[in-house]
Amino acid sequence: MNLQETVLIQLRDLILRGEFEPGQRLAEQQLAERLGASRTPVRAALVTLEQEGLVEANETGKFLVRQFTPREVADAIAVRGHLEGMAARLVAEHGVSRQLQLDLQACLDDGDNALAANPLTYESYADYAAMNDRFHALILEACGNRALQRAVALNNKLPFAPASAMLPMQGTVTLDRDWMLYAHRQHHMLFAALKAGEGARAQALAVEHTEVAQMNLRMALERRAETEQVLPAIRLVVGR
């Protein structure tokens, strides 16, 4: 990566880690000093983050950390569901290669192993999150639609939109393990639909799958104090 890309990744990470307050002004010179860069790549990073929707420019051209409403976050999760649903349908219609079957089955096996622990340990939880990201990425990669892939990548830059974004709230209460088991059963059903070439069913399952993320969002907002301990960026979401 060049310096501009590095600064962009670092700044995006700082925002999503909750290092800045919602509505806080992002001063270019201070950011440059903090990131060990000049103002030029910082300015370019801020422009990109404005395009992604993480920051916004005020009437004087100054950049501010954007605030999000719960509805905006829920909408981003819903958009991901419909995009991933389209990807799943394309994979089912095109046919699942032998290698993709092996890779997806390995994900399912890893998920089964991670959720075997009761109660969940931090290690099993981390294993499940890594598996979940890999499972979703495999289907998106296999769909072959680059415009769709770019749309998912852009949408996933918004807070809590990616597949595993809300998972850190999991495991904090007993019922959360049951919801993770439910979500993983959906992974198994989606895999079966893909292998069977059932495009419409695969699409519907992928869309329905995001309801777990929506539920986690609602729980996170109800338990803000607890949520901020593991997801500081929840402070970017204002209101209920």
Side-chain angles (χ1 to χ4, degrees), residues 225-237:
E226 182 182 353
T227 303
E228 286 188 15
Q229 301 301 312
V230 289
L231 285 174
I234 199 70
R235 289 180 297 193
L236 299 178
V237 183

Side-chain angles (χ1 to χ4, degrees), residues 110 113-115 117 119-131 180:
D110 288 345
N113 292 333
L115 295 176
L120 294 177
T121 64
Y122 286 114
E123 291 76 14
S124 59
Y125 171 79
D127 289 343
Y128 181 85
M131 176 284 303
M180 291 177 76

Side-chain angles (χ1 to χ4, degrees), residues 29-48:
Q29 185 59 43
Q30 293 177 0
L31 290 174
E33 294 172 358
R34 181 170 183 172
L35 299 175
S38 67
R39 294 180 61 174
T40 299
V42 169
R43 175 77 182 183
L46 288 169
V47 170
T48 299

Side-chain angles (χ1 to χ4, degrees), residues 63-141:
F63 289 101
L64 312 174
V65 176
R66 186 179 161 196
Q67 299 179 3
F68 295 84
T69 66
R71 176 63 182 271
E72 287 176 307
V73 178
D75 285 349
I77 294 173
V79 167
R80 175 173 61 80
H82 286 285
L83 291 172
E84 290 186 339
M86 179 180 175
R89 177 174 60 79
L90 290 173
V91 172
E93 291 175 350
H94 294 162
V96 181
S97 69
R98 177 61 178 166
Q99 186 59 55
L100 181 58
Q101 286 193 42
L102 292 173
D103 290 342
L104 290 174
Q105 185 62 59
C107 287
L108 296 178
D109 293 343
D110 288 345
D112 292 340
N113 292 333
L115 295 176
N118 189 12
L120 294 177
T121 64
Y122 286 114
E123 291 76 14
S124 59
Y125 171 79
D127 289 343
Y128 181 85
M131 176 284 303
N132 190 54
D133 284 337
R134 191 165 69 253
F135 184 87
H136 285 256
L138 283 168
I139 294 174
L140 184 61
E141 180 181 354

